[in-house]
Amino acid sequence: MSEIAISVDALCKDYIDASGQVTRGCRDLSFNAYYGEIFGLLGTNGAGKTTTLRVLSTVLRPTSGDARIAGHSVTQSPELVRHAIGFLSASTGLYGRLTAAEMLRYFGRLHNLTDVQTERRIREVADALDMSDFLDRRCDKLSSGQRQRVSIARTIIHDPSVLILDEATTGLDILAAAQIVRFIKESRDRGKCVILSTHIMHEAEQLCDRIVIIHQGEVKAHGTIGELRQRFQKENLDHIFLSAVDAELL
């Protein structure tokens, strides 16, 4: 096994509503993810996936526990974590009046890249994501697949070692999704750690080296596809998932 990229230790995140009632977004989550692998985070809506990713990205501060990314604590050194990661949120937006290239230059400056470094990275990510044909088009004129590629490009403009991708292919047509899947595989092959949240079981089965299944904020199962098949005595990841969360099988 290669070097640990993400180490999550007893992570909890609580939300308190106006009436004072506590809702637990995630509870006592612990797992490791490694460089050179795609680590899948699976769960239903409300299972705690997005909360977990937001804590890892330092958007949210955990109620208790901690996580270390690229050797840095999300609670003690959030600014160093942000430098080490690229975070693609399911709700990521673009500035419609900017071109794709202008968006990337803007985020390059936010990451303190020089103009020369930014232009080099724009060429690199444009090649990696097949964006050259629409770099100079305004973002509000792009298709959904093109906009998603721009969103990923801005996520990786600073060449982070850890990618956190929340529903990266949701809502895309088959060709656009295939381009994103290819990029995710290539990132893994270049030694990056990719943590991928998805609802699409066949995508997880195709892409992920290891998987953790979360339900009601808790880890219900984790391991490679082979290990999960052996544990649950089922071949289909949909059925493994349902068994792991104790749902009734069809």
Side-chain angles (χ1 to χ4, degrees):
M1 190 66 72
S2 62
E3 182 184 355
I4 293 175
I6 301 173
S7 178
V8 177
D9 182 21
L11 199 66
C12 297
K13 176 60 183 176
D14 296 339
Y15 298 96
I16 303 176
D17 64 22
S19 66
Q21 184 175 355
V22 176
T23 300
R24 180 149 286 182
C26 59
R27 60 186 77 183
D28 295 325
L29 295 186
S30 297
F31 58 83
N32 293 331
Y34 297 83
Y35 291 110
E37 80 166 350
I38 300 169
F39 186 85
L41 191 64
L42 306 186
T44 59
N45 288 334
K49 303 188 309 299
T50 296
T51 293
T52 300
L53 297 186
R54 287 177 176 171
V55 171
L56 294 181
S57 68
T58 74
V59 172
L60 297 176
R61 186 175 179 85
T63 304
S64 62
D66 200 0
R68 300 185 70 83
I69 299 181
H72 307 298
S73 164
V74 299
T75 58
Q76 301 300 316
S77 304
E79 69 287 347
L80 295 178
V81 171
R82 293 179 201 122
H83 182 73
I85 67 170
F87 177 44
L88 176 72
S89 168
S91 59
T92 295
L94 300 174
Y95 298 106
R97 294 188 177 185
L98 297 182
T99 67
E102 288 169 341
M103 278 289 301
L104 298 183
R105 291 186 186 105
Y106 174 66
F107 277 87
R109 294 188 186 103
L110 289 180
H111 286 288
N112 295 317
L113 300 183
T114 66
D115 289 346
V116 172
Q117 289 172 326
T118 298
E119 295 306 315
R120 175 177 56 80
R121 284 295 296 157
I122 288 174
R123 291 192 298 271
E124 290 172 352
V125 299
D127 288 343
L129 291 164
D130 195 19
M131 294 172 50
S132 298
D133 289 345
F134 57 86
L135 273 177
D136 294 322
R137 288 170 56 189
R138 277 176 40 162
C139 290
D140 59 4
K141 303 298 183 183
L142 301 178
S143 69
S144 58
Q146 290 169 337
R147 288 196 300 270
Q148 186 72 330
R149 278 182 276 168
V150 176
S151 293
I152 293 175
R154 85 175 203 182
T155 297
I156 64 169
I157 191 67
H158 57 305
D159 198 20
S161 61
V162 176
L163 304 182
I164 301 174
L165 308 179
D166 191 7
E167 306 292 346
T169 63
T170 297
L172 301 184
D173 64 41
I174 188 169
L175 291 177
Q179 289 173 320
I180 304 301
V181 165
R182 182 195 66 193
F183 166 76
I184 292 171
K185 288 180 177 179
E186 290 173 350
S187 296
R188 185 257 319 272
D189 294 343
R190 291 196 299 270
K192 298 183 184 296
C193 174
V194 182
I195 184 165
L196 175 70
S197 169
T198 181
H199 284 101
I200 306 170
M201 294 297 163
H202 73 82
E203 181 177 272
E205 204 159 6
Q206 173 190 3
L207 280 174
C208 296
D209 299 292
R210 292 187 303 124
I211 285 171
V212 61
I213 296 173
I214 295 178
H215 187 60
Q216 296 178 342
E218 298 180 335
V219 172
K220 295 297 184 180
H222 62 87
T224 65
I225 296 290
E227 290 168 344
L228 293 174
R229 284 172 175 159
Q230 183 174 11
R231 173 180 170 184
F232 292 99
Q233 294 298 295
K234 300 182 186 300
E235 286 294 314
N236 188 293
L237 185 56
D238 294 77
H239 292 167
I240 290 172
F241 178 86
L242 291 171
S243 296
V245 301
D246 295 325
E248 181 180 353
L249 292 176
L250 297 177

